[in-house]
Each structure stands twice: as C-alpha cells, then as structure tokens.
C-alpha cells in the first residue's frame, strides 16, 4: 500500500516516528497553510491576509522603530565585538513578532527558546533536555515536543483573547471563523506557530546577511 506523504522532510527514523504518532494515516502534524491546498488553504489565508496589508501594518511602525533604536543602543554598548545574529538581529526580529502578536514582551525568552528548538532538532547546541541525543529519531521527537509546548502556550493565550476586541494577531486569530464556525484549536495553533517561527527566523537571517 502507498504510504502517506508527509510535508516535513525527515530521516527514515524521523519519518517512522511521525507515522507512529498518527497510525490512522494523517499526513501532517501541524495545521498550517504551507501544508495545505485550496480550498482549505484559501479559507485560512483570508483570515490574516488583510491584516498584513501595508496600511494595517503601518500602524505598528512607531513601536517597531522604538524596538530598533533600543537594539542599536544595546549593540553600541558592547565592548569591541558583537555577535550580530545571536545578540541583535535574532532578538530584534523576535521582539517585533511579540509586538505584532500583542503578547507580553517578557515572553520573548519563551518565543526564542521554542523557535530555536523548533528549527534546531539536528543542532547539538539546540537539543532539548527531554530528547535522547543518540536516538535516530531525535530531531523528529524534538520537533513534535516543541510543537506541543507551543500549543500549550498558545492555547492559554487563545482562551484569554477569545471574545475580546483588539487589532493584534493573537486576538484576530482567536476570534476568526472558518466556514462560519469559530476557528478550531488546530488551525489557530498552526497559524500562531508559523508566524512566530518563520516570521522571526527568516527575517533575522536576512538582516544578518545584509550586514
């Protein structure tokens, strides 16, 4: 029988781990638009596409500029050398995401730790303590465990913002509808996680590449 095709590239051991998590043959472990085809993809995209239009995002310009000024000032305080990616670009882009989400800024360390673990399953420096280093499926296990931690965090935030008024991404997604029904937990968490990880990681890498 043909095996389901998973949207996440993994080793054979990792692929078997993902299959073991979903014996019924589910082909994805996170409900995010990059794993979807139309019409499902379109239903999710239309929730937040208007939010990212230039006129709407411009409302956050002053806040993001203030963040940038603080990071430049902090960089100038370093004595002689600075790791631009690790000390400046990574934190600035992550704090910009925290701002757009409307999450507490003190949660920036949570976002950073989970983002590193999410992308760093094959990086010895980013291994989680609860994943066996010598297990062939360690990278897949780390990815799944990190998604679970993200879900725990966002489930709480989602519940807090449900029924509230606001223009931040947390509130917009928490109160969105899909097919006339309140957005379900899987769809909401998929979008939250994608925006935190991809929005932060690609932008910090681009900023470092420019420098």
């Amino acid at each position: 029988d043909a095996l389901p095709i998973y949207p996440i590239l993994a080793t054979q051991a990792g692929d078997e781990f993902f299959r073991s998590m979903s014996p019924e043959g589910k082909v994805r472990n996170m409900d995010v638009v990059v794993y979807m085809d139309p019409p499902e993809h379109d239903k999710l995209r239309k929730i937040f596409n208007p939010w990212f239009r230039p006129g709407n995002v411009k409302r956050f310009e002053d806040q993001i500029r203030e963040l940038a000024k603080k990071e430049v000032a902090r960089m100038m305080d370093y004595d002689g050398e600075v790791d631009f990616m690790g000390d400046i670009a990574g934190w600035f882009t992550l704090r910009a995401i925290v701002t757009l989400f409307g999450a507490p800024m003190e949660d920036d360390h949570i976002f950073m730790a989970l983002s590193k673990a999410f992308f760093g399953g094959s990086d010895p420096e980013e291994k989680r303590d609860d994943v066996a280093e010598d297990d062939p499926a360690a990278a897949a296990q780390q990815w799944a465990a990190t998604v679970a931690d993200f879900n725990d965090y966002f489930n709480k935030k989602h519940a807090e913002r449900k029924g509230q008024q606001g223009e931040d991404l947390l509130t917009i997604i928490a109160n969105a509808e899909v097919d006339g029904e309140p957005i379900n937990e899987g769809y909401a968490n998929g979008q939250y996680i994608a925006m935190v990880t991809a929005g932060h990681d690609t932008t910090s890498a681009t900023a470092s590449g420019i420098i």
Side-chain angles (χ1 to χ4, degrees):
D1 293 338
L3 294 173
I5 299 173
Y6 284 73
I8 299 172
L9 295 177
T11 61
Q12 289 183 335
D15 195 48
E16 287 302 315
F17 171 77
F18 286 130
R19 294 183 198 282
S20 73
M21 292 179 63
S22 183
E24 71 276 10
K26 184 179 179 182
V27 298
R28 66 186 186 220
N29 303 113
M30 191 168 67
D31 292 326
V32 61
V33 290
V34 295
Y35 300 163
M36 297 175 185
D37 292 318
E40 183 185 33
H41 177 278
D42 301 336
K43 294 175 184 178
L44 270 293
R45 281 291 297 268
K46 74 177 183 180
I47 292 171
F48 47 82
N49 265 10
W51 195 94
F52 284 103
R53 288 173 181 158
N56 186 64
V57 174
K58 188 174 178 62
R59 297 183 299 110
F60 295 88
E61 183 175 350
D62 289 344
Q63 291 172 271
I64 303 303
R65 284 187 181 279
E66 284 305 310
L67 284 176
K69 290 175 181 177
K70 288 179 181 178
E71 294 303 324
V72 170
R74 192 163 63 84
M75 181 171 64
M76 299 305 290
D77 285 339
Y78 277 82
D79 185 17
E81 293 184 356
V82 61
D83 177 347
F84 185 77
M85 177 62 174
D87 296 329
I88 303 300
W91 284 105
F92 167 59
T93 56
L94 182 110
R95 287 166 179 153
I97 291 293
V98 173
T99 299
L100 299 180
F101 263 72
M105 190 55 72
E106 57 266 27
D107 288 357
D108 61 353
H109 286 76
I110 298 174
F111 281 38
M112 179 65 82
L114 291 178
S115 294
K116 285 184 175 181
F118 184 86
F119 288 118
S122 300
D123 185 345
E125 295 183 3
E126 305 300 343
K127 288 289 185 186
R128 291 172 57 114
D129 293 336
D130 57 356
V131 174
E133 190 170 342
D134 58 351
D135 191 317
Q141 292 170 6
Q142 173 154 323
W143 188 90
T146 304
V147 167
D149 284 348
F150 263 127
N151 288 343
D152 287 343
Y153 175 88
F154 283 119
N155 284 341
K156 296 173 185 175
K157 295 300 179 187
H158 187 87
E160 290 173 4
R161 303 301 172 91
K162 191 71 176 174
Q164 302 297 312
Q165 298 290 322
E167 297 301 323
D168 57 86
L169 279 171
L170 274 174
T171 305
I172 294 296
I173 296 174
N175 293 283
E177 292 186 351
V178 179
D179 291 331
E181 298 291 335
I183 190 168
N184 65 39
E185 183 181 285
Y187 280 157
N189 284 340
Q191 310 331 301
Y192 293 141
I193 295 171
M195 290 180 187
V196 168
T197 55
H200 155 236
D201 186 71
T202 55
T203 314
S204 59
T206 300
S208 297
I210 291 171
I211 293 297

